[in-house]
Amino acid sequence: MKTEVVVPWKLLPLCGFPRLPYSSSTFTAQLRSRSPLRSVKLMASFSSLPNQIPVSDSQPEVDVFQLIQTHQQKAPRLPPRVEIRTLLQYSSRGFLSTLSQKYEGYPSGSVVDFACDDSGSPILAVSNLAIHTKDLSGNGKCSLLVAKDPKDRTDLVITVHGDAVPVMESEREIVRAVYLNRHPGAFWVDFGDFHFLRIEPKHIRYVSGVATALLGSGEFSYEEIQTAKVDHIYQFSKPITSHMNKDHADETKLIVQHATSIPVEFAEMLDLDSLGINVKAGIQGSSFKLRIPFPRPAADRKDVKNIIVEMLQSAKTNT
């Protein structure tokens, strides 16, 4: 594995260097780079929050950036290999780059649906009429870019470099089942002009923190990603976060306030894994992403519910 980190030297003592792919400073630097927000006055209702920086008459303001920085440095995250393997396993769409057969020497791009098989290799269902299919028939070398949050370029972005090869007829039914499990409405995979391709990964590169004070990146071999375990809790992200955001937004905000000592005005759950929750929070018109760790690793979906209830009870008790 290769990793690269570009950090202004003044931030090195703060960043816990290196923490990849998500150094805590990525998010806090994003906050600073996008907004003039530096500090807020803490209201009396937050004075009892744990680990809060003391507020006195001579120092009535607390640096929100520093609060976020301090909290995020200690927030446990999935190991990079596990997070990358997990995101690929549960993603369904990416940006395919091929070598153009029509415009020799130039790349060509397409938005494609995919599904990963048990080995972590992306599976594509392609039409013989598609330009990228024609490109790959001439040269199978390609890349597949997968963005965790396409609307946020500072979030995790993964690029799989590999060779696209036809799926053997003996594997077709297994591969078809894998693809339809991720895309249940893809009835067209059985049309006569469609067939399956497997991208055999060679190298997997990731980057996070683009356009912020901290840029983190690295590279893994396919073998390193293949042997990484998929986080078993991430699959429950959508139903749990949807429920919490729809029915328990105030409770989520309270949990974030208690965990970070920051008087956020709103907090929205984005996703979760066995070690914690990723949220989007806001204060004074600015929004930023935060990692909220669980007090202990979650064993299963029911345990996630129990942990969230425990976190809420703790927040209510200490508010």
Side-chain angles (χ1 to χ4, degrees):
M1 182 200 74
K2 300 177 182 178
T3 58
E4 302 170 4
V5 180
V6 179
V7 190
W9 66 270
K10 290 182 180 179
L11 291 181
L12 284 173
L14 300 176
C15 294
F17 174 82
R19 293 175 64 85
L20 296 172
Y22 285 135
S23 171
S24 58
S25 299
T26 299
F27 304 107
T28 53
Q30 176 185 353
L31 172 63
R32 263 193 174 166
S33 65
R34 292 186 176 183
S35 168
L37 174 66
R38 289 295 183 272
S39 59
V40 295
K41 293 183 178 180
L42 293 183
M43 300 171 60
S45 60
F46 295 95
S47 61
S48 61
L49 291 176
N51 302 319
Q52 182 171 305
I53 297 176
V55 178
S56 64
D57 293 338
S58 61
Q59 191 180 15
E61 294 186 345
V62 172
D63 189 342
V64 173
F65 174 86
Q66 187 60 53
L67 282 175
I68 298 174
Q69 181 79 46
T70 301
H71 179 268
Q72 294 295 284
Q73 280 182 352
K74 301 176 182 178
R77 305 178 189 280
L78 296 176
R81 286 195 306 151
V82 175
E83 184 160 16
I84 291 170
R85 176 68 191 275
T86 300
L87 180 59
L88 288 175
Q89 195 69 35
Y90 291 109
S91 294
S92 59
R93 181 165 294 171
F95 303 90
L96 178 70
S97 293
T98 57
L99 294 173
S100 177
Q101 295 298 298
K102 183 175 182 180
Y103 305 107
E104 186 176 356
Y106 289 91
S108 181
S110 306
V111 177
V112 296
D113 290 340
F114 74 95
C116 281
D117 61 18
D118 291 340
S119 68
S121 298
I123 300 295
L124 309 178
V126 298
S127 167
N128 293 331
L129 301 177
I131 292 176
H132 53 256
T133 304
K134 296 176 181 178
D135 291 343
L136 293 172
S137 65
N139 190 327
K141 295 186 182 302
C142 62
S143 68
L144 180 68
L145 183 148
V146 180
K148 183 175 184 180
D149 182 356
K151 296 181 180 180
D152 182 3
R153 63 175 179 165
T154 70
D155 215 327
L156 178 63
V157 176
I158 302 167
T159 304
V160 178
H161 299 270
D163 299 316
V165 298
V167 170
M168 294 187 298
E169 187 61 32
S170 60
E171 297 180 279
R172 189 182 188 284
E173 286 306 310
I174 296 176
V175 167
R176 178 180 179 276
V178 168
Y179 191 88
L180 289 178
N181 182 59
R182 184 62 55 207
H183 304 279
F187 59 88
W188 34 263
V189 300
D190 293 325
F191 289 177
D193 64 320
F194 274 82
H195 62 279
F196 292 105
L197 296 178
R198 174 186 283 110
I199 297 179
E200 296 182 343
K202 301 300 180 183
H203 305 281
I204 296 89
R205 185 167 179 79
Y206 66 88
V207 62
S208 63
V210 173
T212 68
L214 178 67
L215 173 64
S217 63
E219 183 177 309
F220 292 102
S221 67
Y222 171 55
E223 290 73 21
E224 289 176 299
I225 295 297
Q226 185 182 29
T227 55
K229 293 183 178 180
V230 176
D231 185 84
H232 61 292
I233 297 297
Y234 189 86
Q235 62 183 309
F236 306 123
S237 286
K238 187 173 182 178
I240 293 176
T241 59
S242 296
H243 169 67
M244 291 297 295
N245 292 334
K246 180 180 178 181
D247 300 327
H248 302 286
D250 290 340
E251 286 83 356
T252 299
K253 181 175 74 172
L254 186 58
I255 288 173
V256 174
Q257 290 172 342
H258 174 66
T260 63
S261 300
I262 301 169
V264 298
E265 296 163 0
F266 73 87
E268 174 187 352
M269 287 191 183
L270 300 175
D271 54 56
L272 53 83
D273 52 59
S274 60
L275 300 183
I277 309 167
N278 295 311
V279 304
K280 180 180 180 180
I283 187 170
Q284 292 188 353
S286 295
S287 62
F288 45 92
K289 292 180 178 178
L290 292 171
R291 174 72 171 178
I292 308 300
F294 288 149
R296 54 182 170 79
D300 50 37
R301 181 172 180 172
K302 182 178 180 181
D303 196 31
V304 172
K305 178 181 178 180
N306 294 336
I307 290 175
I308 291 176
V309 170
E310 292 170 13
M311 295 171 73
L312 180 59
Q313 290 175 341
S314 178
K316 289 180 176 179
T317 301
N318 289 278
T319 298

